[in-house]
Amino acid sequence: MRITIDTKLCIGAGQCALTAPSVFTQDDDGFSALLPGREDGGGDPMVAEAVRACPVQAISATED
């Protein structure tokens, strides 16, 4: 899996970090970011829910 965040769309709602905290965090400005080494989702089953929870659809997860 490959996770991408469209930083131009992200509004910093934080739903991804609340839903899958082992994969997502928020940067110093409050916008979504991936934790280091978690670009592949780390096997977290909540990644798909985090993608759905994003209010502006800034996150995508695609299978490699």
Side-chain angles (χ1 to χ4, degrees):
M1 177 182 304
R2 178 162 173 76
I3 302 169
T4 55
I5 302 169
D6 186 335
T7 56
K8 292 178 183 175
L9 285 179
C10 181
I11 60 171
Q15 294 303 307
C16 57
L18 290 172
T19 305
S22 70
V23 177
F24 298 95
T25 188
Q26 289 179 284
D27 65 17
D28 292 338
D29 295 321
F31 295 104
S32 182
L34 291 166
L35 290 169
R38 295 300 184 149
E39 295 82 4
D40 64 355
D44 189 327
M46 293 303 290
V47 169
E49 184 58 34
V51 170
R52 284 190 293 274
C54 181
V56 294
Q57 300 174 337
I59 303 169
S60 62
T62 56
E63 293 297 326
D64 286 337

